[in-house]
Amino acid sequence: MLDSEVLLTIKLQQQLFVDPKRIRLLREIAKSGSISQAAKNAKVSYKSAWDHLEAMNSLSPMPLLERNTGGKNGGGTTLTTYAKRLLKLYDLLEQTQQKAFSILQDEQISLDSLLSATARFSLQSSARNQFFGTVKSLTQTDNHCAVEIQIPHLDQSITAFITPQSAVRLQLVFDKEVMLMIKAPWVKLFIEKPQKTCNIFPALLSHINQQPNAQEATLTLGKTLQCTASLDDNANFQQGDKLFCYIDPEQIVLVTI
């Protein structure tokens, strides 16, 4: 793996707000409670430290420092709640940038989709099946909202049932990109086509993986889409079988950004 370093700079009003040097200065103030000591620890002059702090304060929508007078040690300087949150946010952005850069080496990850790229480097889920698609229709009833989703390389769409409140919260509209998360036990296999109204897909059983306490089947839906299903102990399926798989629309979790 490449030894990379991605440095984060944030500008406000087209002027430098924070960079690694200024963030280190704020961190040292948080540790020492003193601007002069923080300047020494950050290996900058006291004047340079003041210049950086004044520049940040002039751009910041909220104060960054609190001066405490008196006390046993003659007072000092502490960070405001806003400044502490800024440090935490900066840490999160640094981690996100580093992970985003790491996906450059994986050519299997599409960089044409913000949702797809973000999910690959930031989301961890127990759901074995994670598909990406776009909303093609929304049909709302009193009890649920049926979301029809088109997935690349799959001839027919997948329908997910969610609450109307969830549809509003996810801001689902036509052509919006979504990720579907489906656990392997939610994918049911049949030899003959079941009498279901939606989410019935012809499937080729490509591989059976024997686990210590269970079996998993790798399915091919359409031409290339891979899907994982759990197999019952008495399931009598063989590699190469042509089956039908059913995905319960109420057992599909939708994610978007």
Side-chain angles (χ1 to χ4, degrees):
M1 183 175 291
L2 293 175
D3 183 11
S4 60
E5 182 182 14
V6 183
L7 300 179
L8 174 63
T9 296
I10 300 176
K11 288 187 176 182
L12 294 179
Q13 303 174 33
Q14 298 183 336
Q15 298 182 59
L16 176 63
F17 179 44
V18 292
D19 62 2
K21 183 182 293 186
R22 291 181 175 181
I23 288 295
R24 183 181 179 186
L25 182 60
L26 289 178
R27 286 175 178 154
E28 293 297 341
I29 291 174
K31 291 178 184 178
S32 65
S34 164
I35 295 176
S36 59
Q37 186 60 50
K40 292 178 182 178
N41 295 344
K43 295 181 171 51
V44 297
S45 68
Y46 184 77
K47 181 181 184 306
S48 179
W50 260 114
D51 290 342
H52 284 303
L53 294 171
E54 287 186 351
M56 283 189 284
N57 271 313
S58 67
L59 295 171
S60 177
M62 299 181 70
L64 299 174
L65 303 176
E66 291 181 346
R67 298 300 302 272
N68 301 317
T69 58
K72 180 179 178 181
N73 299 315
T77 301
T78 58
L79 299 186
T80 62
T81 300
Y82 180 81
K84 293 175 183 177
R85 286 177 56 81
L86 175 62
L87 291 181
K88 291 181 179 180
L89 175 64
Y90 192 89
D91 285 341
L92 292 176
L93 292 175
E94 279 190 318
Q95 294 174 43
T96 301
Q97 280 198 150
Q98 197 62 50
K99 288 187 176 182
F101 184 76
S102 69
I103 70 173
L104 180 63
Q105 301 172 67
D106 188 347
E107 295 183 357
Q108 300 301 313
I109 300 177
S110 171
L111 296 181
D112 296 326
S113 162
L114 176 61
L115 176 60
S116 175
T118 301
R120 295 298 182 90
F121 71 72
S122 64
L123 293 180
Q124 299 294 327
S125 169
S126 62
R128 297 295 303 277
N129 302 300
Q130 298 182 7
F131 305 136
F132 297 89
T134 52
V135 175
K136 291 306 173 188
S137 70
L138 295 100
T139 305
Q140 187 165 318
T141 67
D142 292 337
N143 299 321
H144 67 256
C145 179
V147 186
E148 184 183 4
I149 302 154
Q150 187 62 57
I151 295 176
H153 312 298
L154 197 60
D155 293 337
Q156 61 192 91
S157 59
I158 292 183
T159 298
F161 289 169
I162 62 175
T163 65
Q165 294 84 355
S166 293
V168 172
R169 181 171 51 83
L170 294 174
Q171 299 180 345
L172 296 184
V173 292
F174 174 78
D175 221 27
K176 182 163 186 175
E177 187 178 26
V178 295
M179 181 174 75
L180 298 80
M181 296 197 298
I182 306 165
K183 288 189 174 183
W186 299 342
V187 181
K188 303 300 182 182
L189 299 182
F190 301 88
I191 295 176
E192 297 183 357
K193 189 174 183 179
Q195 298 299 312
K196 304 290 184 180
T197 58
C198 63
N199 294 357
I200 302 294
F201 305 96
L204 174 66
L205 202 165
S206 307
H207 179 72
I208 295 178
N209 182 23
Q210 186 69 49
Q211 301 286 343
N213 300 315
Q215 292 186 96
E216 284 188 345
T218 300
L219 311 170
T220 302
L221 310 183
K223 294 180 179 179
T224 60
L225 189 67
Q226 298 291 299
C227 180
T228 301
S230 298
L231 295 180
D232 296 333
D233 292 337
N234 16 343
N236 192 24
F237 299 130
Q238 303 293 327
Q239 183 173 325
D241 284 351
K242 292 183 178 180
L243 307 168
F244 292 93
C245 80
Y246 167 67
I247 302 172
D248 187 342
E250 293 186 355
Q251 300 293 344
I252 299 175
V253 175
L254 298 185
V255 179
T256 189
I257 54 177

